[in-house]
Amino acid sequence: MSEAAGHALQIRGLTKRYGDFTAVDSVSLDIERGEFLTLLGPSGSGKTTILMAVAGFVLPNEGSILLDGNDITALPPERRNFGMVFQGYALFPHMSVAENVAFPLRVRGLSRAARDEKVRAALDLVQLSSFAERLPRQLSGGQQQRVALARALVFDPALLLLDEPLSALDKKLRAELQEELKSLHRRVGRTFINVTHDQEEALSLSDRIAILNHGRLIQNGPAAFLYENPRTRFVADFLGKSNFIQANVSRREDHHVILRVGDTELRQHAMAIPGSTETVLLSLRPERIRLLKPGEGAENEVEAHIRSWSYLGSGFSIVAGLPGIGDIRVNAPANHAHEALRDGAPIRLGWDADAAKPVQEDA
């Protein structure tokens, strides 16, 4: 297969309306050459509509789509040379694996010899060379999805578009295919645009994530940056899980801001909170909170009691009640003694002054 470099895509002010309903609301986004970008959001957020507009199956009401700077907004799908992988595989049941992969090459009029060479290379890429003569019904779900990937890549597409490609698989197989898809992206060097509502999939696969809600682009950036620095309550709660604490600014001390929640004082790094701020909404990830041992301290310490807990194998998920703050979730590593966790037990929790992140309320 060709190792051609990926192509860049620019989305400018994309808007799509269906009657009075706005599915996509003035979205602008740049996808770099060779990047793996994921459009992430709940059902109805507009992510699939954007993907279909990029593919050419949906004509936007406003805005433009450019490939390497060239406007392709009105270009029909068959002239865009984009590969596409669907959730349901969309394989021809009466064709063998090799015939399925060869189909887009036949449509393009390639000779038999040229088709055979490209099909062999594509099946090698997804490690299915020995399955070339099998029918789709003789394959597992994961194998069928790899055939769909081979078919989408065999004609050297400018972009690979993925519409929730792993959602039909069970959890274990989905995790395995995530690793394979990430490896495949590195090897072929093309631009991938993926649509999913699965947070773990987005974090695992993506160079960058664009988070959408109600048709609007809320925030985009590298996966780790978005997780550690969510801009809004929605982003913090959709990409992973978070606790939210509404606090008032009490006073400023050197490099810290002292916040008050009821009778509890919390310390926060001053750089995160502008001088004019009087109230702040904090996002605090469950894994950033520690169960403090006797004699152990932290920049923020609070007394709490266990309301409920669950054992998750790698650790414990604890719901703790904090006077004046309410319930917060804590993820504790498994080396905390099982016997120490019981409903109603008093505990001390602690976190660093930079653990919580100020976020905006959603508009």
Side-chain angles (χ1 to χ4, degrees):
M1 293 187 68
S2 168
E3 295 298 322
H7 295 260
L9 191 82
Q10 299 84 38
I11 298 171
R12 296 285 180 265
L14 194 73
T15 297
K16 179 60 183 178
R17 291 183 290 269
Y18 296 96
D20 295 332
F21 174 68
T22 301
V24 179
D25 190 357
S26 192
V27 168
S28 294
L29 192 60
D30 288 348
I31 299 101
E32 298 177 4
R33 295 176 185 271
E35 184 175 30
F36 196 126
L37 177 99
T38 292
L39 301 173
L40 176 68
S43 297
S45 61
K47 57 189 186 297
T48 297
T49 302
I50 293 172
L51 194 76
M52 293 299 106
V54 170
F57 299 128
V58 167
L59 186 65
N61 297 97
E62 299 168 18
S64 58
I65 300 169
L66 298 93
L67 183 69
D68 297 332
N70 299 309
D71 194 329
I72 62 167
T73 311
L75 202 66
E78 65 274 13
R79 293 185 57 197
R80 298 193 184 197
N81 199 43
F82 294 168
M84 192 147 192
V85 179
F86 297 95
Q87 173 182 341
Y89 318 137
L91 301 178
F92 297 109
H94 62 288
M95 290 185 183
S96 69
V97 165
E99 290 169 335
N100 266 282
V101 175
F103 182 78
L105 302 176
R106 287 176 54 197
V107 171
R108 287 164 172 79
L110 269 71
S111 68
R112 177 65 181 268
R115 291 201 308 266
D116 288 349
E117 182 180 350
K118 283 183 172 289
V119 168
R120 278 195 300 271
L123 290 178
D124 282 344
L125 195 64
V126 297
Q127 302 172 40
L128 285 178
S129 297
S130 61
F131 293 80
E133 301 308 316
R134 294 194 186 183
L135 293 172
R137 67 173 180 270
Q138 297 171 309
L139 305 178
S140 68
Q143 290 167 340
Q144 289 185 56
Q145 193 56 285
R146 301 215 303 266
V147 174
L149 282 166
R151 184 179 59 185
L153 288 167
V154 72
F155 56 92
D156 299 329
L159 300 178
L160 185 64
L161 309 179
L162 303 141
D163 186 15
E164 306 218 31
L166 308 181
S167 60
L169 306 175
D170 63 55
K171 185 174 182 179
K172 184 176 184 296
L173 189 55
R174 192 161 63 241
E176 293 174 1
L177 262 291
Q178 285 173 13
E179 294 179 6
E180 289 187 24
L181 189 55
K182 191 169 186 176
S183 173
L184 182 65
H185 173 253
R186 285 196 299 266
R187 282 180 281 145
V188 300
R190 286 181 179 77
T191 307
F192 284 23
I193 304 177
N194 179 46
V195 159
T196 187
H197 62 272
D198 187 302
Q199 310 153 15
E200 290 185 9
E201 178 183 318
L203 288 167
S204 170
L205 289 175
S206 314
D207 296 321
R208 192 157 52 97
I209 299 172
I211 299 181
L212 297 132
N213 195 28
H214 300 306
R216 296 181 178 179
L217 178 63
I218 308 301
Q219 189 176 359
N220 82 92
F225 179 84
L226 285 189
Y227 187 83
E228 295 296 338
N229 300 278
R231 184 182 300 153
T232 69
R233 177 193 280 264
F234 172 78
V235 172
D237 203 34
F238 190 78
L239 191 64
K241 290 298 178 184
S242 194
N243 301 294
F244 296 98
I245 301 173
Q246 188 79 48
N248 297 314
V249 174
S250 177
R251 63 187 186 278
R252 294 177 180 268
E253 295 180 351
D254 297 329
H255 303 298
H256 291 93
V257 175
I258 308 303
L259 305 174
R260 181 168 287 278
V261 186
D263 296 329
T264 302
E265 284 193 345
L266 303 175
R267 298 172 68 82
Q268 186 75 19
H269 279 183
M271 289 181 61
I273 302 176
S276 59
T277 303
E278 296 182 357
T279 63
V280 62
L281 178 65
L282 297 176
S283 164
L284 180 60
R285 298 288 190 190
E287 66 272 15
R288 300 297 298 270
I289 306 169
R290 305 191 301 277
L291 268 66
L292 298 178
K293 300 174 182 178
E296 184 182 0
E299 289 180 288
N300 290 296
E301 299 179 27
V302 294
E303 302 289 336
H305 65 276
I306 296 176
R307 290 178 57 84
S308 63
W309 61 274
S310 302
Y311 177 59
L312 304 177
S314 60
F316 297 92
S317 177
I318 302 165
V319 177
L322 281 66
I325 294 179
D327 291 350
I328 66 171
R329 188 172 296 278
V330 182
N331 290 347
N335 57 9
H336 284 267
H338 185 285
E339 292 76 16
L341 300 179
R342 53 184 175 79
D343 292 355
I347 52 174
R348 290 170 58 244
L349 303 177
W351 61 89
D352 298 334
D354 64 351
K357 306 293 182 181
V359 295
Q360 303 169 13
E361 286 283 9
D362 301 305

